[in-house]
């Protein structure tokens, strides 16, 4: 239960970081480029926060290189969601990423736990 709550707290920090970066980049880039760049930068921060606080594990290059797997589904869902909200629903680009990201959270938790924690031998 502690891991889930900490993962959620890290997620809030990560989302806030992502959204602030997205808004900054949106002033000089098209919305999809702003989304991709903000997503990549916030993912790096998420790796270190989750290693330290959620899973209490030492960050390694192996985990760092595997960590993007935790966000592939998240990235695909949020990118598709941003596109649908902005281009198909014409709802505006400012809040689209926040709306689009909610659906991917459970999958991201399961995959990040798999990457960050050692496998137990059954």
């Amino acid at each position: 239960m502690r891991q889930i709550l900490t993962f959620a707290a890290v997620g809030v920090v990560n989302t806030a970081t992502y959204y602030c970066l997205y808004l900054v980049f949106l002033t000089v880039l098209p919305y999809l480029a702003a989304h991709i760049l903000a997503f990549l930068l916030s993912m790096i921060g998420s790796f270190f926060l989750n290693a330290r606080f959620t899973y209490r594990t030492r960050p390694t290059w192996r985990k760092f290189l595997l960590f993007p797997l935790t966000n592939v589904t998240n990235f695909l869902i949020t990118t598709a969601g941003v596109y649908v909200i902005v281009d198909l629903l014409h709802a505006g680009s400012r809040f689209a990423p926040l709306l689009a990201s909610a659906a991917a959270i459970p999958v991201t938790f399961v995959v990040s736990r798999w990457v960050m924690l050692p496998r137990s031998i059954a």
Side-chain angles (χ1 to χ4, degrees):
M1 182 55 109
R2 182 202 62 78
Q3 280 184 351
I4 293 171
L5 293 175
T6 307
F7 183 81
V10 167
V12 168
V13 170
N14 187 51
T15 301
T17 301
Y18 159 79
Y19 190 58
C20 289
L21 289 170
Y22 173 76
L23 291 177
V24 168
F25 296 145
L26 192 58
T27 63
V28 294
L29 296 171
Y31 76 90
L32 278 178
H35 164 68
I36 292 168
L37 186 55
F39 192 93
L40 291 173
L41 292 174
S42 66
M43 185 173 57
I44 293 168
S46 178
F47 168 75
F48 288 106
L49 290 173
N50 276 303
R52 171 72 172 101
F53 297 109
T54 303
Y55 302 112
R56 297 180 181 177
T57 186
R58 185 174 57 87
T60 64
W61 279 108
R62 180 184 183 281
K63 291 174 188 172
F64 182 76
L65 295 173
L66 287 174
F67 192 74
L69 293 175
T70 68
N71 288 292
V72 168
T73 301
N74 184 312
F75 178 76
L76 293 174
I77 291 170
T78 57
T79 302
V82 166
Y83 172 77
V84 167
I85 291 167
V86 174
D87 282 347
L88 301 181
L89 300 177
H90 306 290
S93 59
R94 289 187 69 77
F95 297 106
L98 296 177
L99 298 172
S101 65
I105 293 169
V107 175
T108 304
F109 174 74
V110 170
V111 177
S112 70
R113 186 174 160 84
W114 176 79
V115 166
M116 299 297 275
L117 294 178
R119 318 293 183 268
S120 60
I121 300 173

